[in-house]
């Protein structure tokens, strides 16, 4: 079983730019990457976590149609506007819906967790004005705890991986990532590998 | 009757004017939002270069352009 887990991570080179679990992702690098440092896994939140956002977007996209149905019960919210004005209102509305969708996508896409052969890195994109990047060397990792709680989490095999470290930020939370057990196992394996290296060695 | 008709036209004009002001303010806010989004994408593209980043940057620039173009069109044509 351990061998299978190892094979998935070390034998696949993910080329999918939208992958939520990307072993050895091709075409991805990061700022401050050391020479010889390679990305072992790139993780994003599971696609299931986007369902509330998708429902919100669907609701916003359908809202003008819902407003139009009010006409049947005698309420016409657009009665004072001409046809061209209704066109502009709808255009502005759908620009907003596009912007909201784009924002939600960017939010998901850039919230990335990386495991390299040297470090763990957490790129946090918490809002339009809030971004944060945290690094911890593998030799600072003290404890790794995968946690899968809930029906959907168990069914789709995703959950949180809590990493206790001796770095400036003492806890990393890989939130809602796919295959948390495999991720935790791989982090521990890389920590063991790092501890067996000479100080300063990158391999 | 003419007074009621006049009031109706006035109400309609006020509503349309209010709607226009609201939409213009909304679009100004949205243009700033899209600028911020573009800056975030630029920043994150430097932090984490991926193959999708040029497309995202293009979309964000398009988003700013459309927001500003629609803002001016609404001011002129609404």
């Amino acid at each position: 079983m351990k061998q299978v887990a190892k094979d998935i991570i070390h034998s696949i080179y993910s080329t999918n730019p939208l992958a939520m679990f990307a072993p050895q992702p091709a075409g991805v690098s990061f700022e401050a990457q050391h020479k010889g440092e390679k990305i072992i896994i790139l993780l994003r939140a599971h696609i299931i976590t986007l369902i509330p956002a998708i429902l919100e977007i669907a609701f916003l996209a359908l809202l003008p149609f819902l407003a139009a149905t009010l006409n049947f019960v005698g309420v016409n919210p657009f009665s004072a506007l001409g046809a061209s004005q209704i066109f502009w209102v709808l255009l502005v509305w759908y620009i907003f819906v596009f912007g909201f969708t784009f924002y939600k996508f960017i939010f998901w896409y850039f919230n990335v967790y990386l495991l390299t052969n040297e470090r763990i890195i957490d790129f946090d994109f918490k809002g339009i004005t809030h971004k944060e990047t945290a690094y911890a060397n593998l030799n600072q990792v003290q404890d790794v705890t995968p946690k899968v709680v809930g029906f959907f989490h168990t069914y789709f095999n995703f959950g949180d991986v809590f990493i206790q470290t001796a770095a400036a930020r003492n806890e990393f939370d890989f939130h809602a990532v796919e295959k948390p057990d495999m991720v935790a196992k791989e982090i521990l394996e890389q920590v063991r590998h790092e501890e067996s290296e000479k100080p300063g060695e990158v391999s | 009757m003419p007074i009621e008709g006049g009031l109706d036209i006035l109400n309609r004009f006020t509503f349309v004017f209010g709607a226009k002001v609201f939409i213009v303010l909304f679009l100004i806010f949205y243009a700033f939002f899209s600028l911020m989004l573009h800056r975030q994408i630029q920043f994150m593209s430097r932090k984490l270069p991926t193959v999708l980043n040029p497309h995202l940057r293009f979309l964000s620039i398009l988003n700013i352009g459309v927001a500003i173009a629609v803002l001016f069109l609404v001011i002129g044509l609404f």
Side-chain angles (χ1 to χ4, degrees):
Chain A
M1 192 63 193
K2 192 178 174 185
Q3 193 59 39
V4 173
K6 194 174 165 66
D7 282 346
I8 288 173
I9 292 170
H10 295 275
S11 64
I12 295 173
Y13 291 85
S14 175
T15 53
N16 179 3
L18 300 174
M20 52 191 175
F21 182 95
Q24 306 184 83
V28 180
S29 57
F30 60 95
E31 202 180 48
Q33 187 169 1
H34 297 155
K35 197 178 174 194
E37 184 175 16
K38 60 175 193 252
I39 299 170
I40 292 162
I41 326 176
L42 179 149
L43 299 159
R44 290 189 181 91
H46 198 283
I47 202 96
I48 292 290
T49 59
L50 289 178
I51 285 181
I54 291 168
L55 292 176
E56 281 168 21
I57 292 159
F59 174 73
L60 291 175
L62 292 174
L63 203 60
F65 296 99
L66 296 175
T69 57
L70 290 174
N71 207 10
F72 292 112
V73 290
V75 180
N76 186 356
F78 302 118
S79 62
L81 300 175
S84 72
Q85 288 161 336
I86 290 173
F87 166 78
W88 288 114
V89 169
L90 289 178
L91 184 67
V92 169
W93 180 254
Y94 283 107
I95 287 172
F96 164 71
V97 173
F98 170 78
F100 182 73
T101 309
F102 194 41
Y103 170 71
K104 287 282 180 185
F105 173 77
I106 294 298
F107 193 87
W108 173 79
Y109 185 75
F110 284 123
N111 255 319
V112 169
Y113 312 110
L114 294 178
L115 168 66
T116 76
N117 54 346
E118 291 294 310
R119 294 180 280 181
I120 50 171
I121 302 152
D122 178 357
F123 291 100
D124 262 343
F125 186 89
K126 288 179 180 166
I128 191 78
T129 56
H130 186 158
K131 51 200 176 290
E132 195 180 309
T133 311
Y135 303 88
N137 291 328
L138 287 176
N139 55 18
Q140 293 175 310
V141 171
Q142 294 171 327
D143 185 39
V144 182
T145 315
K147 196 171 174 184
V148 180
V149 181
F151 173 76
F152 286 106
H153 292 70
T154 309
Y155 188 78
F156 292 104
N157 191 17
F158 72 99
D160 296 349
V161 180
F162 297 101
I163 304 156
Q164 203 76 37
T165 76
R169 194 164 106 186
N170 55 16
E171 189 169 82
F172 283 67
D173 174 13
F174 286 9
H175 178 67
V177 294
E178 199 187 12
K179 304 181 182 88
D181 294 324
M182 196 186 283
V183 171
K185 205 179 281 181
E186 186 58 32
I187 292 170
L188 289 172
E189 195 158 311
Q190 289 303 322
V191 169
R192 273 196 293 274
H193 187 255
E194 181 66 17
E195 282 169 352
S196 67
E197 288 175 1
K198 289 177 195 151
E201 188 182 339
V202 179
S203 66
Chain B
M1 193 67 181
I3 293 169
E4 278 179 20
L7 279 176
D8 192 41
I9 289 166
L10 191 68
N11 282 340
R12 191 175 176 277
F13 174 76
T14 313
F15 179 79
V16 171
F17 181 72
K20 183 173 178 171
V21 169
F22 176 77
I23 288 173
V24 168
L25 289 175
F26 181 84
L27 280 169
I28 291 170
F29 170 77
Y30 184 82
F32 277 109
F33 166 78
S34 50
L35 269 171
M36 292 288 285
L37 204 56
H38 176 65
R39 287 293 297 145
Q40 289 279 28
I41 290 169
Q42 273 187 326
F43 177 82
M44 290 308 288
S45 298
R46 272 202 304 275
K47 285 254 171 205
L48 188 76
T50 67
V51 289
L52 211 62
N53 288 352
H55 306 285
L56 293 175
R57 275 207 302 274
F58 172 74
L59 260 182
S60 68
I61 291 168
L62 194 71
N63 191 29
I64 297 168
V66 169
I68 292 170
V70 172
L71 172 65
F72 284 111
L73 287 170
V74 165
I75 290 169
L77 299 173
F78 190 90

